[in-house]
Amino acid sequence: MTGLTILIPIALGMGAFGLAVFFWAMKAGQFEDLDGAAQRILIDDEDDDAA
């Protein structure tokens, strides 16, 4: 029972930390351009042909 009194607050703290990091990433604009990375992988760079 003593283990639960230690593990439950640790688990809640880690969950709160993860939620705070997620909201920070949303505010910082990490998820704004979801299609850009998918499009860039399909575009051929002309500079790579010279190498």
Short mmCIF file of all heavy atoms in Angstrom, two decimals:
data_model
loop_
_atom_site.label_atom_id
_atom_site.label_comp_id
_atom_site.label_asym_id
_atom_site.label_seq_id
_atom_site.Cartn_x
_atom_site.Cartn_y
_atom_site.Cartn_z
N MET A 1 0.81 -1.19 0.00
CA MET A 1 0.00 0.00 0.00
C MET A 1 0.86 1.26 0.00
O MET A 1 0.47 2.27 -0.56
CB MET A 1 -0.92 -0.04 1.23
CG MET A 1 -2.13 0.79 1.06
SD MET A 1 -3.06 0.23 -0.36
CE MET A 1 -4.65 0.75 0.09
N THR A 2 2.03 1.17 0.62
CA THR A 2 2.92 2.32 0.65
C THR A 2 3.44 2.65 -0.74
O THR A 2 3.64 3.82 -1.07
CB THR A 2 4.11 2.05 1.59
OG1 THR A 2 3.61 1.64 2.86
CG2 THR A 2 4.97 3.26 1.77
N GLY A 3 3.60 1.62 -1.55
CA GLY A 3 4.08 1.83 -2.91
C GLY A 3 3.09 2.64 -3.73
O GLY A 3 3.48 3.46 -4.56
N LEU A 4 1.80 2.41 -3.51
CA LEU A 4 0.78 3.16 -4.25
C LEU A 4 0.79 4.64 -3.88
O LEU A 4 0.51 5.49 -4.73
CB LEU A 4 -0.61 2.57 -4.00
CG LEU A 4 -0.89 1.24 -4.68
CD1 LEU A 4 -2.27 0.75 -4.30
CD2 LEU A 4 -0.77 1.38 -6.17
N THR A 5 1.09 4.95 -2.63
CA THR A 5 1.11 6.35 -2.21
C THR A 5 2.27 7.10 -2.86
O THR A 5 2.25 8.32 -2.93
CB THR A 5 1.20 6.47 -0.68
OG1 THR A 5 2.39 5.82 -0.23
CG2 THR A 5 0.00 5.86 -0.02
N ILE A 6 3.26 6.37 -3.34
CA ILE A 6 4.39 6.99 -4.04
C ILE A 6 4.15 6.96 -5.55
O ILE A 6 4.38 7.96 -6.23
CB ILE A 6 5.70 6.25 -3.68
CG1 ILE A 6 6.01 6.43 -2.20
CG2 ILE A 6 6.84 6.76 -4.54
CD1 ILE A 6 7.12 5.56 -1.69
N LEU A 7 3.67 5.84 -6.06
CA LEU A 7 3.55 5.67 -7.51
C LEU A 7 2.41 6.47 -8.12
O LEU A 7 2.54 6.97 -9.25
CB LEU A 7 3.38 4.20 -7.85
CG LEU A 7 4.61 3.33 -7.60
CD1 LEU A 7 4.28 1.87 -7.89
CD2 LEU A 7 5.76 3.79 -8.46
N ILE A 8 1.29 6.62 -7.42
CA ILE A 8 0.16 7.37 -7.98
C ILE A 8 0.51 8.84 -8.18
O ILE A 8 0.26 9.39 -9.26
CB ILE A 8 -1.11 7.16 -7.12
CG1 ILE A 8 -1.61 5.73 -7.34
CG2 ILE A 8 -2.19 8.16 -7.50
CD1 ILE A 8 -2.79 5.36 -6.47
N PRO A 9 1.09 9.55 -7.20
CA PRO A 9 1.48 10.94 -7.48
C PRO A 9 2.54 11.08 -8.57
O PRO A 9 2.51 12.03 -9.36
CB PRO A 9 2.02 11.44 -6.14
CG PRO A 9 1.41 10.56 -5.12
CD PRO A 9 1.25 9.23 -5.79
N ILE A 10 3.45 10.12 -8.66
CA ILE A 10 4.46 10.16 -9.72
C ILE A 10 3.79 10.00 -11.08
O ILE A 10 4.10 10.73 -12.03
CB ILE A 10 5.54 9.08 -9.49
CG1 ILE A 10 6.40 9.45 -8.30
CG2 ILE A 10 6.39 8.90 -10.74
CD1 ILE A 10 7.39 8.38 -7.89
N ALA A 11 2.85 9.06 -11.20
CA ALA A 11 2.15 8.85 -12.45
C ALA A 11 1.32 10.07 -12.83
O ALA A 11 1.28 10.48 -14.00
CB ALA A 11 1.26 7.61 -12.36
N LEU A 12 0.64 10.67 -11.88
CA LEU A 12 -0.14 11.88 -12.15
C LEU A 12 0.76 13.04 -12.54
O LEU A 12 0.43 13.83 -13.43
CB LEU A 12 -0.99 12.25 -10.92
CG LEU A 12 -2.14 11.30 -10.61
CD1 LEU A 12 -2.82 11.70 -9.31
CD2 LEU A 12 -3.13 11.29 -11.75
N GLY A 13 1.91 13.15 -11.92
CA GLY A 13 2.86 14.21 -12.27
C GLY A 13 3.41 14.03 -13.68
O GLY A 13 3.53 15.00 -14.43
N MET A 14 3.72 12.79 -14.04
CA MET A 14 4.22 12.53 -15.39
C MET A 14 3.14 12.80 -16.43
O MET A 14 3.42 13.34 -17.52
CB MET A 14 4.71 11.09 -15.50
CG MET A 14 5.99 10.84 -14.74
SD MET A 14 6.48 9.10 -14.72
CE MET A 14 6.74 8.79 -16.45
N GLY A 15 1.90 12.47 -16.12
CA GLY A 15 0.80 12.76 -17.03
C GLY A 15 0.59 14.26 -17.20
O GLY A 15 0.37 14.75 -18.30
N ALA A 16 0.65 14.99 -16.10
CA ALA A 16 0.51 16.45 -16.16
C ALA A 16 1.66 17.08 -16.94
O ALA A 16 1.46 18.02 -17.70
CB ALA A 16 0.44 17.03 -14.75
N PHE A 17 2.86 16.54 -16.76
CA PHE A 17 4.01 17.05 -17.50
C PHE A 17 3.84 16.80 -19.00
O PHE A 17 4.10 17.68 -19.81
CB PHE A 17 5.30 16.38 -17.00
CG PHE A 17 6.52 16.79 -17.77
CD1 PHE A 17 7.06 18.05 -17.62
CD2 PHE A 17 7.12 15.90 -18.66
CE1 PHE A 17 8.18 18.43 -18.33
CE2 PHE A 17 8.23 16.27 -19.38
CZ PHE A 17 8.77 17.54 -19.22
N GLY A 18 3.39 15.61 -19.37
CA GLY A 18 3.16 15.30 -20.79
C GLY A 18 2.09 16.18 -21.39
O GLY A 18 2.21 16.65 -22.52
N LEU A 19 1.02 16.44 -20.64
CA LEU A 19 -0.04 17.32 -21.12
C LEU A 19 0.46 18.75 -21.28
O LEU A 19 0.13 19.42 -22.26
CB LEU A 19 -1.22 17.27 -20.14
CG LEU A 19 -2.51 17.92 -20.58
CD1 LEU A 19 -3.05 17.23 -21.83
CD2 LEU A 19 -3.53 17.87 -19.47
N ALA A 20 1.29 19.21 -20.35
CA ALA A 20 1.86 20.55 -20.45
C ALA A 20 2.77 20.67 -21.66
O ALA A 20 2.74 21.68 -22.38
CB ALA A 20 2.63 20.89 -19.17
N VAL A 21 3.58 19.65 -21.94
CA VAL A 21 4.45 19.67 -23.11
C VAL A 21 3.63 19.66 -24.40
O VAL A 21 3.95 20.36 -25.36
CB VAL A 21 5.45 18.48 -23.07
CG1 VAL A 21 6.18 18.33 -24.38
CG2 VAL A 21 6.43 18.67 -21.93
N PHE A 22 2.54 18.90 -24.42
CA PHE A 22 1.67 18.88 -25.58
C PHE A 22 1.05 20.24 -25.83
O PHE A 22 1.04 20.73 -26.98
CB PHE A 22 0.57 17.83 -25.40
CG PHE A 22 -0.47 17.86 -26.48
CD1 PHE A 22 -0.16 17.40 -27.75
CD2 PHE A 22 -1.73 18.36 -26.24
CE1 PHE A 22 -1.11 17.43 -28.76
CE2 PHE A 22 -2.68 18.39 -27.23
CZ PHE A 22 -2.36 17.92 -28.49
N PHE A 23 0.54 20.89 -24.79
CA PHE A 23 -0.04 22.22 -24.97
C PHE A 23 1.02 23.24 -25.38
O PHE A 23 0.74 24.15 -26.16
CB PHE A 23 -0.77 22.67 -23.71
CG PHE A 23 -2.12 22.02 -23.53
CD1 PHE A 23 -2.48 21.48 -22.32
CD2 PHE A 23 -3.01 21.95 -24.59
CE1 PHE A 23 -3.70 20.87 -22.16
CE2 PHE A 23 -4.25 21.35 -24.44
CZ PHE A 23 -4.60 20.81 -23.22
N TRP A 24 2.24 23.10 -24.87
CA TRP A 24 3.32 23.99 -25.28
C TRP A 24 3.62 23.82 -26.77
O TRP A 24 3.82 24.79 -27.50
CB TRP A 24 4.57 23.72 -24.45
CG TRP A 24 5.77 24.43 -24.99
CD1 TRP A 24 6.09 25.73 -24.80
CD2 TRP A 24 6.78 23.87 -25.84
NE1 TRP A 24 7.25 26.02 -25.47
CE2 TRP A 24 7.70 24.91 -26.12
CE3 TRP A 24 7.00 22.62 -26.37
CZ2 TRP A 24 8.81 24.70 -26.92
CZ3 TRP A 24 8.11 22.43 -27.17
CH2 TRP A 24 8.99 23.45 -27.44
N ALA A 25 3.63 22.57 -27.24
CA ALA A 25 3.90 22.30 -28.65
C ALA A 25 2.77 22.85 -29.52
O ALA A 25 3.02 23.37 -30.60
CB ALA A 25 4.07 20.80 -28.88
N MET A 26 1.55 22.77 -29.05
CA MET A 26 0.43 23.32 -29.80
C MET A 26 0.56 24.84 -29.90
O MET A 26 0.34 25.42 -30.95
CB MET A 26 -0.90 22.97 -29.13
CG MET A 26 -1.29 21.53 -29.25
SD MET A 26 -1.77 21.05 -30.90
CE MET A 26 -3.29 21.94 -31.06
N LYS A 27 0.92 25.48 -28.81
CA LYS A 27 1.07 26.94 -28.78
C LYS A 27 2.26 27.39 -29.63
O LYS A 27 2.21 28.45 -30.25
CB LYS A 27 1.23 27.41 -27.34
CG LYS A 27 1.24 28.91 -27.20
CD LYS A 27 1.34 29.33 -25.75
CE LYS A 27 1.36 30.84 -25.66
NZ LYS A 27 1.55 31.29 -24.28
N ALA A 28 3.31 26.59 -29.67
CA ALA A 28 4.51 26.94 -30.43
C ALA A 28 4.34 26.69 -31.92
O ALA A 28 5.22 27.04 -32.70
CB ALA A 28 5.71 26.16 -29.90
N GLY A 29 3.24 26.07 -32.34
CA GLY A 29 2.99 25.87 -33.76
C GLY A 29 3.64 24.63 -34.34
O GLY A 29 3.90 24.56 -35.54
N GLN A 30 3.88 23.62 -33.53
CA GLN A 30 4.53 22.40 -34.02
C GLN A 30 3.64 21.60 -34.96
O GLN A 30 4.14 20.85 -35.77
CB GLN A 30 4.92 21.51 -32.84
CG GLN A 30 6.01 22.09 -31.98
CD GLN A 30 7.34 22.08 -32.68
OE1 GLN A 30 7.67 21.13 -33.37
NE2 GLN A 30 8.10 23.13 -32.51
N PHE A 31 2.34 21.78 -34.86
CA PHE A 31 1.40 20.97 -35.64
C PHE A 31 0.67 21.79 -36.69
O PHE A 31 -0.42 21.41 -37.12
CB PHE A 31 0.40 20.29 -34.70
CG PHE A 31 1.05 19.49 -33.62
CD1 PHE A 31 0.99 19.90 -32.30
CD2 PHE A 31 1.73 18.34 -33.91
CE1 PHE A 31 1.59 19.17 -31.30
CE2 PHE A 31 2.34 17.59 -32.92
CZ PHE A 31 2.27 18.01 -31.61
N GLU A 32 1.24 22.91 -37.12
CA GLU A 32 0.57 23.78 -38.07
C GLU A 32 0.57 23.21 -39.48
O GLU A 32 -0.43 23.21 -40.16
CB GLU A 32 1.23 25.16 -38.07
CG GLU A 32 0.99 25.95 -36.80
CD GLU A 32 -0.45 26.37 -36.62
OE1 GLU A 32 -1.10 26.70 -37.62
OE2 GLU A 32 -0.92 26.32 -35.48
N ASP A 33 1.72 22.74 -39.96
CA ASP A 33 1.86 22.31 -41.34
C ASP A 33 2.02 20.79 -41.40
O ASP A 33 3.13 20.28 -41.49
CB ASP A 33 3.06 23.01 -41.98
CG ASP A 33 3.18 22.71 -43.45
OD1 ASP A 33 2.17 22.32 -44.07
OD2 ASP A 33 4.28 22.86 -44.00
N LEU A 34 0.92 20.09 -41.35
CA LEU A 34 0.99 18.63 -41.36
C LEU A 34 1.24 18.07 -42.75
O LEU A 34 1.81 17.00 -42.91
CB LEU A 34 -0.31 18.04 -40.79
CG LEU A 34 -0.58 18.37 -39.33
CD1 LEU A 34 -1.92 17.80 -38.92
CD2 LEU A 34 0.52 17.84 -38.45
N ASP A 35 0.82 18.79 -43.79
CA ASP A 35 0.98 18.30 -45.15
C ASP A 35 2.33 18.67 -45.75
O ASP A 35 2.77 18.06 -46.72
CB ASP A 35 -0.12 18.85 -46.05
CG ASP A 35 -1.49 18.30 -45.66
OD1 ASP A 35 -1.52 17.15 -45.20
OD2 ASP A 35 -2.49 19.02 -45.83
N GLY A 36 3.02 19.64 -45.19
CA GLY A 36 4.28 20.11 -45.75
C GLY A 36 5.36 19.04 -45.76
O GLY A 36 6.05 18.84 -46.75
N ALA A 37 5.51 18.33 -44.66
CA ALA A 37 6.53 17.28 -44.59
C ALA A 37 6.21 16.13 -45.53
O ALA A 37 7.09 15.55 -46.15
CB ALA A 37 6.67 16.78 -43.16
N ALA A 38 4.93 15.82 -45.66
CA ALA A 38 4.53 14.74 -46.56
C ALA A 38 4.77 15.14 -48.02
O ALA A 38 5.13 14.31 -48.84
CB ALA A 38 3.06 14.40 -46.35
N GLN A 39 4.60 16.41 -48.33
CA GLN A 39 4.84 16.89 -49.70
C GLN A 39 6.34 16.95 -50.01
O GLN A 39 6.76 16.64 -51.11
CB GLN A 39 4.21 18.27 -49.88
CG GLN A 39 2.71 18.31 -49.73
CD GLN A 39 1.99 17.73 -50.92
OE1 GLN A 39 2.49 17.79 -52.02
NE2 GLN A 39 0.82 17.19 -50.68
N ARG A 40 7.15 17.38 -49.03
CA ARG A 40 8.59 17.54 -49.27
C ARG A 40 9.28 16.22 -49.56
O ARG A 40 10.26 16.18 -50.29
CB ARG A 40 9.24 18.19 -48.05
CG ARG A 40 9.10 19.68 -48.03
CD ARG A 40 9.98 20.26 -46.96
NE ARG A 40 9.59 19.76 -45.65
CZ ARG A 40 8.86 20.44 -44.78
NH1 ARG A 40 8.44 21.63 -45.06
NH2 ARG A 40 8.55 19.91 -43.62
N ILE A 41 8.77 15.14 -49.02
CA ILE A 41 9.42 13.85 -49.24
C ILE A 41 9.20 13.37 -50.67
O ILE A 41 9.98 12.58 -51.20
CB ILE A 41 8.94 12.81 -48.20
CG1 ILE A 41 9.93 11.69 -48.07
CG2 ILE A 41 7.58 12.27 -48.56
CD1 ILE A 41 9.70 10.81 -46.89
N LEU A 42 8.16 13.87 -51.33
CA LEU A 42 7.85 13.45 -52.69
C LEU A 42 8.53 14.30 -53.75
O LEU A 42 8.62 13.89 -54.90
CB LEU A 42 6.33 13.48 -52.90
CG LEU A 42 5.53 12.53 -52.01
CD1 LEU A 42 4.05 12.75 -52.22
CD2 LEU A 42 5.91 11.10 -52.27
N ILE A 43 9.00 15.49 -53.38
CA ILE A 43 9.59 16.40 -54.35
C ILE A 43 11.05 16.03 -54.58
O ILE A 43 11.83 15.89 -53.64
CB ILE A 43 9.49 17.86 -53.84
CG1 ILE A 43 8.02 18.25 -53.69
CG2 ILE A 43 10.22 18.80 -54.77
CD1 ILE A 43 7.81 19.58 -53.02
N ASP A 44 11.42 15.85 -55.85
CA ASP A 44 12.81 15.56 -56.19
C ASP A 44 13.61 16.85 -56.21
O ASP A 44 13.20 17.84 -56.80
CB ASP A 44 12.90 14.90 -57.57
CG ASP A 44 12.38 13.49 -57.55
OD1 ASP A 44 12.44 12.86 -56.49
OD2 ASP A 44 11.92 13.01 -58.62
N ASP A 45 14.77 16.82 -55.59
CA ASP A 45 15.68 17.96 -55.64
C ASP A 45 16.56 17.83 -56.87
O ASP A 45 17.15 16.79 -57.12
CB ASP A 45 16.56 18.01 -54.40
CG ASP A 45 15.78 18.38 -53.15
OD1 ASP A 45 14.72 19.02 -53.30
OD2 ASP A 45 16.23 18.04 -52.04
N GLU A 46 16.66 18.89 -57.64
CA GLU A 46 17.48 18.88 -58.86
C GLU A 46 18.97 18.86 -58.51
O GLU A 46 19.78 18.41 -59.28
CB GLU A 46 17.15 20.10 -59.71
CG GLU A 46 15.68 20.23 -60.02
CD GLU A 46 15.37 19.92 -61.47
OE1 GLU A 46 16.29 19.94 -62.27
OE2 GLU A 46 14.20 19.63 -61.74
N ASP A 47 19.34 19.36 -57.33
CA ASP A 47 20.74 19.41 -56.94
C ASP A 47 21.30 18.02 -56.64
O ASP A 47 22.50 17.82 -56.72
CB ASP A 47 20.90 20.30 -55.70
CG ASP A 47 20.51 21.74 -55.99
OD1 ASP A 47 20.57 22.14 -57.17
OD2 ASP A 47 20.14 22.46 -55.04
N ASP A 48 20.47 17.07 -56.27
CA ASP A 48 20.95 15.74 -55.94
C ASP A 48 21.43 14.97 -57.17
O ASP A 48 22.21 14.03 -57.07
CB ASP A 48 19.85 14.93 -55.25
CG ASP A 48 19.56 15.47 -53.85
OD1 ASP A 48 20.41 16.18 -53.32
OD2 ASP A 48 18.49 15.14 -53.32
N ASP A 49 20.99 15.34 -58.37
CA ASP A 49 21.39 14.64 -59.59
C ASP A 49 22.85 14.88 -59.94
O ASP A 49 23.49 14.04 -60.56
CB ASP A 49 20.50 15.07 -60.76
CG ASP A 49 19.05 14.63 -60.55
OD1 ASP A 49 18.84 13.65 -59.80
OD2 ASP A 49 18.16 15.24 -61.13
N ALA A 50 23.41 16.02 -59.55
CA ALA A 50 24.78 16.35 -59.88
C ALA A 50 25.79 15.55 -59.06
O ALA A 50 26.93 15.37 -59.46
CB ALA A 50 25.03 17.85 -59.66
N ALA A 51 25.38 15.05 -57.92
CA ALA A 51 26.31 14.34 -57.04
C ALA A 51 26.61 12.94 -57.49
O ALA A 51 26.07 12.27 -58.22
CB ALA A 51 25.77 14.31 -55.61
#
